[in-house]
Amino acid sequence: MGRYVAGLWLTIIAPFIGMIVIGGPDGGVVDHLVLHILMIALGAISLWLVAGLRRTVAPGGPRPSRAIGVTCTILFVVQVLFLIGNAGEAAALIKEGGFHLGEAIFDDPLHSAAAWITPNAFMLAVLAVLVLSVQTLVVTRRQRGGSVAPEVD
């Protein structure tokens, strides 16, 4: 389970921090269209990771956990929305001419609608990964027979 969660950190949390550092799509560090194409690739990888984690915690899987399974399902839906948003933004960018469009793209209705979905899905995905991290820690500790709560003297 830990490998899946680490992969989700690399495909969701790290890009989120990276977006903050570079100033987002209009930060000027990375071209707007290239950023959305990169986010689509990372989103697809994260879907594969979520599906793998979901199989691991399924009732017949090696480490069954209903709570992690529910969170995986929520994260899967959120990541599909993230992919739809990024694909919509990329389609709007390509439709309007591709690279180096500047501020004019923000007036496009397709881009505006997709741009409303993408950051909200991104933030929900970050929250879901944080929840999954805690759940995985708790389940792993319980399965190893360790205490989840700190010991009190």
Side-chain angles (χ1 to χ4, degrees), residues 33-137:
L33 181 59
V34 172
L35 188 68
H36 288 299
I37 292 170
L38 179 65
M39 288 295 131
I40 290 169
L42 289 171
I45 294 168
S46 70
L47 281 178
W48 176 74
L49 290 167
V50 171
L53 180 58
R54 179 70 181 99
R55 278 190 305 274
T56 301
V57 299
R63 294 185 176 177
S65 170
R66 188 178 312 153
I68 293 177
V70 169
T71 307
C72 283
T73 303
I74 292 168
L75 180 57
F76 192 88
V77 170
V78 168
Q79 282 302 99
V80 167
L81 289 172
F82 178 73
L83 283 173
I84 290 169
N86 272 297
E89 289 187 70
L93 285 161
I94 292 169
K95 180 183 81 167
E96 295 296 324
F99 298 100
H100 312 296
L101 286 173
E103 298 292 320
I105 192 61
F106 296 111
D107 295 331
D108 184 70
L110 173 60
H111 188 274
S112 296
W116 184 85
I117 295 170
T118 304
N120 291 317
F122 209 178
M123 288 186 282
L124 286 172
V126 168
L127 179 63
V129 170
L130 294 174
V131 169
L132 265 175
S133 299
V134 172
Q135 288 176 324
T136 303
L137 178 68

Side-chain angles (χ1 to χ4, degrees), residues 18-32 34-35 100:
M19 290 287 279
I20 293 169
V21 170
I22 67 169
D26 56 344
V29 176
V30 178
D31 186 67
H32 197 141
V34 172
L35 188 68
H100 312 296

